[in-house]
Amino acid sequence: MELGVFIPIGNNGWLISTTSPQYRPTFDLNREIVEKAERFGFDFALSMIKLHGFGGPSQFWDYNLESFTLMAAVLTLPPPIAARMAVTIDSISHGRFGINIISGWQRREYTQMGIWPGSEHYRRRYEYCAEYVTIMRELWQAGRSDFKGDFFQMDDCRCLPLPSATIPIICAAQSDAGTQFAAQYADYNFCGSGGVNQPTLVGPSVARLVEATAATGRDCGALILQMIIADETDAAAMAKWEHYKAGTDHEALAWRDAQAEDDPSRDPYSQPNKRRTLGIDKLPTNQGVLVGSYASVAGMLDELAAVPGVRGVMLTFDDFVIGMEQFGTRILPLMHCRADVRRAA
């Protein structure tokens, strides 16, 4: 199972709580986390894009760095510009770069800049994304595009030099329409994790992706977003988690959920419904949480690795610097699913 880290370019990472570690995002913080990931043999790091936070007492995600050094978001940059920026970063990173395609679910992020395309976007956003990715790939493969679609029209658009390596496309689509998009256009797709200490709860979401990729004949691997809260003992780790839950920023959660309800989709894994489907709608995070001793967490990650179709896991932590160090020194050596990687190293 591949390992990744979802770096905290927004304040307080992924815990929507006033009692969890409180910190602002900085380049130095994220560099330290990625350097630890490199030292411990992680396979990738990813950043999000967030342009308007949730507010509340914790000011959740009100402070954010700019993210294109690791990803692009489709509503904020036209595809030829994103493609050229990707080629430039490909040159800097010597082929160690991919783009995360986010279709845009939070209306307020885009109305603040006057670029929200209207409620029709919810129905057609994956058609928009399909055109976006098609244009980028034409530019990366041939250096030019004359693509004509409903959303974009290219006129002898050029992009040279070509990238030194294939630039993978990543997305985080879990609804039926989103999964179909991922199966046709993406190389990796994030499938929803949920619950507390329920690593196999991702099974139905991953199975949906496996079925869709079988129909397209492409290879799109499932990546699982998972929070780790670990300590010497199960009891100590659970005490931290209960402390974070006690400080849950309900005002920020309410703002987030009100924004999500704009999407009329009734799909159980669509933005307004997936947190309820996965049993995390009242928790101070947007993902499944593994809470326990270092050995317990390693065991649960091994369970996750055994779910058919899972390609890798992307980790978040309550305290990223401490959490990464604990993971690399105390949890990773106990994971059976990474034994072959350790032997190869």
Side-chain angles (χ1 to χ4, degrees):
M1 180 172 69
E2 294 182 9
L3 289 176
V5 58
F6 205 4
I7 63 175
I9 72 165
N11 61 302
N12 303 347
W14 277 265
L15 277 167
I16 311 172
S17 170
T18 58
T19 53
S20 62
Q22 307 288 300
Y23 54 89
R24 302 282 173 82
T26 65
F27 171 75
D28 288 339
L29 170 65
N30 284 280
R31 180 176 62 184
E32 182 176 1
I33 292 164
V34 173
E35 286 175 346
K36 287 180 181 293
E38 187 93 346
R39 176 159 61 94
F40 294 132
F42 277 48
D43 301 285
F44 64 94
L46 191 79
S47 74
M48 66 170 182
I49 185 167
K50 185 55 58 179
L51 305 173
H52 192 294
F54 298 169
S58 66
Q59 298 182 294
F60 188 71
W61 284 353
D62 286 351
Y63 297 82
N64 277 280
L65 301 181
E66 194 282 322
S67 65
F68 193 78
T69 50
L70 286 176
M71 67 169 276
V74 300
L75 285 182
T76 57
L77 292 168
I81 300 299
R84 190 173 291 276
M85 293 170 76
V87 169
T88 302
I89 299 171
D90 167 82
S91 178
I92 294 169
S93 66
H94 302 292
R96 299 176 63 187
F97 181 68
I99 289 187
N100 188 15
I101 297 295
I102 302 300
S103 62
W105 66 270
Q106 188 183 325
R107 171 179 50 84
R108 189 67 184 91
E109 283 195 87
Y110 306 104
T111 56
Q112 69 177 347
M113 300 180 289
I115 61 172
W116 178 244
S119 59
E120 179 71 2
H121 177 66
Y122 288 115
R123 186 177 67 84
R124 302 196 65 190
R125 58 182 176 165
Y126 290 112
E127 297 172 46
Y128 182 101
C129 290
E131 290 191 11
Y132 197 100
V133 172
T134 297
I135 291 167
M136 289 199 301
R137 283 193 166 141
E138 286 183 357
L139 292 172
W140 293 334
Q141 292 166 7
R144 61 175 294 173
S145 174
D146 279 301
F147 179 88
K148 300 291 190 296
D150 291 343
F151 303 98
F152 301 102
Q153 295 79 41
M154 300 295 104
D155 180 12
D156 192 24
C157 185
R158 303 295 182 97
C159 182
L160 292 171
L162 301 181
S164 64
T166 299
I167 296 177
I169 297 295
I170 305 100
C171 61
Q174 294 161 54
S175 66
D176 185 62
T179 301
Q180 296 298 324
F181 166 79
Q184 188 169 354
Y185 293 97
D187 301 294
Y188 296 93
N189 184 63
F190 287 102
C191 295
S193 63
V196 178
N197 292 349
Q198 295 178 274
T200 61
L201 197 61
V202 302
S205 179
V206 175
R208 188 185 242 189
L209 179 65
V210 170
E211 182 180 358
T213 54
T216 61
R218 296 185 65 257
D219 180 22
C220 179
L223 300 177
I224 311 303
L225 178 59
Q226 194 75 63
M227 178 173 288
I228 304 295
I229 298 176
D231 212 312
E232 293 287 348
T233 66
D234 291 339
M238 190 58 70
K240 286 197 292 188
W241 172 235
E242 292 298 330
H243 178 62
Y244 301 153
K245 285 199 300 179
T248 298
D249 189 340
H250 294 286
E251 184 179 329
L253 291 183
W255 196 93
R256 176 200 68 186
D257 294 342
Q259 289 284 300
E261 289 297 334
D262 280 353
D263 186 342
S265 173
R266 298 300 95 189
D267 187 291
Y269 289 99
S270 66
Q271 191 61 234
N273 305 314
K274 64 182 181 181
R275 282 179 286 273
R276 287 190 292 268
T277 299
L278 296 167
I280 54 175
D281 53 318
K282 304 302 182 185
L283 298 181
T285 187
N286 65 344
Q287 59 206 255
V289 186
L290 302 182
V291 184
S293 68
Y294 306 125
S296 294
V297 170
M300 287 186 283
L301 287 169
D302 282 334
E303 287 184 60
L304 176 61
V307 174
V310 168
R311 182 75 55 81
V313 60
M314 184 170 69
L315 304 175
T316 66
F317 302 91
D318 48 345
D319 184 307
F320 271 78
V321 174
I322 294 172
M324 282 292 295
E325 192 68 25
Q326 289 175 333
F327 184 85
T329 59
R330 305 295 300 276
I331 298 172
L332 188 57
L334 303 177
M335 291 172 59
H336 298 299
C337 66
R338 294 286 290 186
D340 289 343
V341 178
R342 290 196 299 273
R343 283 194 290 269

